[in-house]
Amino acid sequence: MKKTNTNTILAGGLALAVFGAWSLGDYINGNLELLPVDRVPTNQTAVVAQPFDVKNLFPVWVASSTKTQDQSGESGSVDDLFASTKPVAPPMEAVVADMAPPVQKTDYAAVLASHMRLESLAVNGGFINGKFYRVGEDIADFEYPSGNRQVIPRLVEVRARSVIVAHGGKRTEIVL
């Protein structure tokens, strides 16, 4: 009789544990459903995508803007449909050559002097536009083209209230 009571108690405890786990899962699922989360819609009747068939495309008819009434019944080549009755424009090179201003050489020394701002000095360098450069260091932020090469200015000298920047065989003084 003792075994029967133990088995009954164990079976009841197991049933209670299973019911408790199920109730806890149901409680958690109910609370998760209340969260404001975008759900992915499920479609039970999903349609399998058909392969792309070029034959089902709608035809596109193009009419020439220069077509006149007497040409409407004629059939011709595609080139005839798009032929222009306007006079032919001169080549683009001739138009650009007429419009282009004379080429002026840029004075990069003046550009550097106007755009480089010396903020403070040190014994071996200075702050130019928020960056510290040592004597002999390239100032790559102000690189510019000269002919078929790129010129990178270099800090070459520190003076009492200025620095000297060398570039392309020239020297420019940037004053504090």
Side-chain angles (χ1 to χ4, degrees), residues 141-168:
D141 291 343
F142 291 94
E143 181 178 359
Y144 64 88
S146 177
N148 58 355
R149 65 184 181 96
Q150 291 293 106
V151 175
I152 302 174
R154 176 175 289 165
L155 182 65
V156 292
E157 184 181 342
V158 177
R159 295 185 176 171
R161 300 205 37 88
S162 65
V163 293
I164 302 296
V165 177
H167 56 94

Side-chain angles (χ1 to χ4, degrees), residues 30-60:
N31 285 336
L32 287 175
E33 287 177 357
L34 298 175
L35 290 175
V37 177
D38 290 337
R39 292 181 177 89
V40 177
T42 58
N43 188 356
Q44 300 300 332
T45 59
V47 177
V48 178
Q50 298 295 326
F52 182 71
D53 186 12
V54 177
K55 296 175 185 173
N56 291 333
L57 289 177
F58 292 104
V60 178

